[in-house]
């Protein structure tokens, strides 16, 4: 039987096309980022990097990721556990709810939070009376980032936990294990890799989120300016090299994330083989 | 297995600690008081230059250390943010309308334009042209822009305050040229808008279109911007043309009284805005291609700013409120002119 792409010429053409496109659309822009960042030499690159505002942006971005990940890790596991291990009315609805942050544009997400928690908002006006300010400060940025990234862990876990079924856990129950022990000794080892994968995706998105953060940030330089916002700001300042330096940082984080993901996948497949 | 998990946990924990320390290790010199200035997009470098000078100026006169923080964005977005709770002490905008919005909300005093000299506009600018080197199409004034083969680039008046000024400047010119004959003014405006090649949403986009994509014979923007662009992208490639008649673009400032009071910054906020009127600050402003009212500084920079007659929006059009309603509202003059 002949399949599409079996003829040597077609195959070569397809492979060639794939390579050319990958280089043009993926590799070249990446190279360009680093080339632009280093365009005026190491010294300028270093200067841009050690700029107070850039450092503050890096710090804030890492802080946001560091707060977002644990929250969504717990939330994601909890949700996946609930949805796959229990049956209750509204279970399907809940599963649809998880996807809302994916379906909604980040800008809209930011606006919703602003309308709720801004000083005129339903909750915000009440908080304002106690002099608590969430929007236009780092807590607001963390809030919207949590919202935007909250499906990642759950979405990774649900299919896996559904496929694995509850048999092992049921066995543990019959052996008299407590809930927490079951989770720690049975569930967690089974979902470990998917969980880490979800965390990696969460991290990537938390670090890179622009739209939602841009709405609630108030862009106070050195205070509520995250790395992606900083890139835009520098670019608008006609500081192209600076913008690309910040962009290169983001790209580095992305590459690191991809490497971690590839490493995980590699370990996971190796594990399968040795089993 | 348990060990590897444990190791992972340690790795994650240390990553978290690392990022936490990074988050707080950002050097913030503890100042006694902080002032937050909410400003427009392209003023970042301007205030990055002015603020340290102001800090020195203030600290010489008062026994405290202060810090000025900046927030920049499209000035309508900035005003919105303040309404939603961004606690800025002062605003320094490029649109009178955006301060008016804050005044309507009671965040800024109703008579804010009377609180500081020159309608609370410490510096001003006008609309000017950037043309290709040697001005090959001979563009010197507004009537040169309605010639058949001229291609114009400026930001969309619907989305950009900068674009609004351009539209109003052309209208004001026509109003004078045709002695207020509405028929002829509309005809002029139709031709003018018909020659617009690209309507970008903002000033920065229009610059990119003109400079990097090489589209159009003339870019219309604030005089200050046009000069900055020509400096940035090569003075040999572009010429700056200031038309003999144009519109006065004010850069209004105001104290956001409600927040300044709450932040205990009222005196500092007023001091900051008053500083902008000092000779020292006016000189800095002129260095950024803004026109100023200080006579000494005017003399020093006379060469940089060609004489031109500047018309006030309020004098030609009544008030900003009327301008917005008749010209830029949906179905208004602008929409009708573009429909043909």
């Amino acid at each position: 039987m002949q399949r599409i792409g079996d003829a040597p010429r077609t195959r070569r053409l397809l492979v060639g096309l794939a390579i050319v496109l990958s280089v043009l659309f993926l590799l070249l822009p990446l190279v360009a980022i680093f080339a632009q960042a280093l365009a005026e030499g190491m010294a300028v690159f270093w200067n841009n990097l050690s700029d107070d505002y850039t450092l503050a942006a890096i710090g804030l971005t890492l802080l946001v990721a560091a707060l977002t990940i644990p929250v969504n890790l717990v939330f994601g596991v909890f949700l996946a556990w609930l949805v796959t291990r229990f049956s209750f009315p509204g279970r399907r609805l809940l599963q649809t709810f998880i996807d809302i942050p994916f379906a909604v544009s980040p800008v809209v997400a930011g606006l919703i939070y602003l309308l709720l928690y801004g000083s005129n908002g339903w909750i915000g006006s009440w908080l304002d009376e106690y002099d608590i300010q969430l929007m236009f400060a780092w807590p607001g940025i963390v809030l919207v980032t949590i919202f935007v990234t909250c499906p990642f862990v759950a979405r990774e876990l649900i299919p896996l936990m559904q496929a694995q079924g509850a048999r092992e856990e049921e066995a543990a129950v019959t052996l008299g294990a407590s809930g927490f022990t079951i989770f720690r000794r049975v569930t967690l080892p089974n979902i470990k890799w998917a969980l880490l994968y979800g965390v990696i995706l969460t991290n990537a998105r938390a670090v890179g989120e622009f739209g939602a953060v841009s709405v609630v940030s108030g862009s106070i330089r050195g205070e509520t300016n995250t790395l992606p916002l900083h890139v835009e700001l520098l670019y608008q300042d006609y500081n192209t090299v600076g913008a690309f330096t910040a962009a290169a940082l983001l790209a580095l984080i992305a590459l690191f994330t991809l490497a971690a993901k590839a490493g995980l996948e590699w370990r996971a497949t190796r594990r399968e083989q040795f089993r | 297995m348990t060990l590897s998990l444990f190791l992972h946990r340690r790795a994650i924990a240390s990553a978290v600690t690392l990022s936490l320390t990074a988050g707080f290790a950002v050097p913030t010199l503890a100042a006694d008081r902080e002032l937050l200035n909410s400003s427009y997009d392209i003023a970042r470098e301007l205030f990055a230059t002015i603020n340290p000078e102001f800090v020195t100026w203030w600290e010489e006169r008062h026994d405290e250390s202060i810090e000025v923080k900046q927030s920049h964005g499209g000035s309508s977005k900035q005003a919105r943010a303040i309404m939603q709770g961004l606690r800025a002490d002062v605003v320094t905008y490029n649109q009178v309308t955006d301060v008016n919005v804050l005044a309507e909300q009671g965040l800024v005093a109703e008579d804010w334009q009377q609180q500081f000299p020159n309608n609370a506009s410490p510096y001003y600018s006008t609309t000017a042209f950037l043309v290709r080197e040697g001005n090959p199409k001979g563009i010197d004034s507004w009537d040169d822009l309605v010639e058949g083969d001229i291609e114009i680039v400026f930001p969309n008046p619907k989305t950009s305050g900068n674009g609004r000024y351009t539209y109003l400047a052309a209208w004001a010119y026509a109003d004078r040229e045709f002695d207020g004959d509405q028929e002829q003014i509309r005809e002029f405006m139709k031709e003018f808008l018909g020659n617009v090649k690209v309507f970008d949403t903002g000033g920065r986009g229009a610059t990119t279109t003109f400079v990097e994509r090489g589209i159009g014979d003339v870019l219309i923007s604030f005089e200050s911007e046009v000069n900055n662009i020509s400096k940035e992208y090569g003075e040999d490639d572009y010429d700056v043309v200031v038309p003999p008649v144009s519109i006065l673009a004010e850069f209004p400032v105001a104290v956001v009284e409600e927040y300044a009071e709450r932040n205990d910054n009222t005196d500092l906020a007023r001091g900051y805005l008053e500083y902008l009127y000092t000779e020292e600050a006016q000189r800095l402003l002129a260095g950024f291609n803004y026109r100023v009212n200080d006579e000494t500084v005017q003399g020093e920079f006379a060469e940089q700013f060609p004489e031109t007659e500047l018309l006030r929006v309020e004098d030609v059009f009544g008030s900003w409120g009327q301008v917005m309603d008749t010209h830029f509202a949906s179905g208004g003059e602008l929409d009708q002119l573009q429909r043909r």
Side-chain angles (χ1 to χ4, degrees), chain B residues 261-300:
Chain B
E261 219 163 277
R262 205 159 152 175
N263 300 340
D264 220 358
N265 272 347
T266 310
D267 57 328
L268 184 59
R270 283 203 70 88
Y272 184 72
L273 298 184
E274 275 158 14
Y275 172 76
L276 296 178
Y277 290 89
T278 61
E279 191 184 314
E280 176 185 322
Q282 297 265 299
R283 192 168 289 120
L284 293 174
L285 286 159
F288 280 85
N289 300 305
Y290 290 110
R291 295 181 180 230
V292 294
N293 290 302
D294 185 281
E295 280 172 18
T296 323
V297 179
Q298 267 182 353
E300 290 167 26

Side-chain angles (χ1 to χ4, degrees), chain A residues 52 55-56 59-60 62-63 66-67 114-115 118-120 128 131-133 135-136 188-189 192-193 196 214-215 217-223 232-233 235-238 267, chain B residues 1 4-5 8 12 16 19-20 22-24 26-27 34 36 41 44-45 69-73 77-78 81-87 204 207 212 225 229 232-233 259 262:
Chain A
D52 274 356
L55 287 179
L60 178 62
L62 291 178
L63 173 75
L67 291 175
L114 200 52
L115 291 181
S119 66
N120 294 332
D128 196 51
D131 216 23
I132 298 171
Q133 186 190 3
M135 295 294 114
F136 311 113
L188 201 56
K192 194 172 53 176
W193 297 113
L196 270 173
S214 143
V215 177
S217 142
S219 42
I220 304 168
R221 212 172 201 184
E223 201 172 290
E232 195 210 17
L233 185 151
Y235 183 70
Q236 285 185 340
D237 270 358
Y238 299 110
R267 279 191 68 162
Chain B
M1 169 67 237
S4 86
L5 243 185
H8 274 298
I12 291 167
V16 169
S19 29
L20 278 175
F24 294 119
V26 176
E34 269 180 18
L36 179 57
D41 242 334
R44 269 185 284 262
E45 279 179 62
K69 296 215 154 170
Q70 287 292 137
S71 163
H72 292 281
K77 185 183 170 188
Q78 293 293 82
I82 290 183
M83 278 152 56
Q84 309 265 22
L86 177 77
R87 291 199 201 154
R204 178 72 216 223
T207 305
E212 276 163 27
E225 260 307 271
I229 295 163
E232 178 70 23
Y233 289 99
Y259 294 142
R262 205 159 152 175

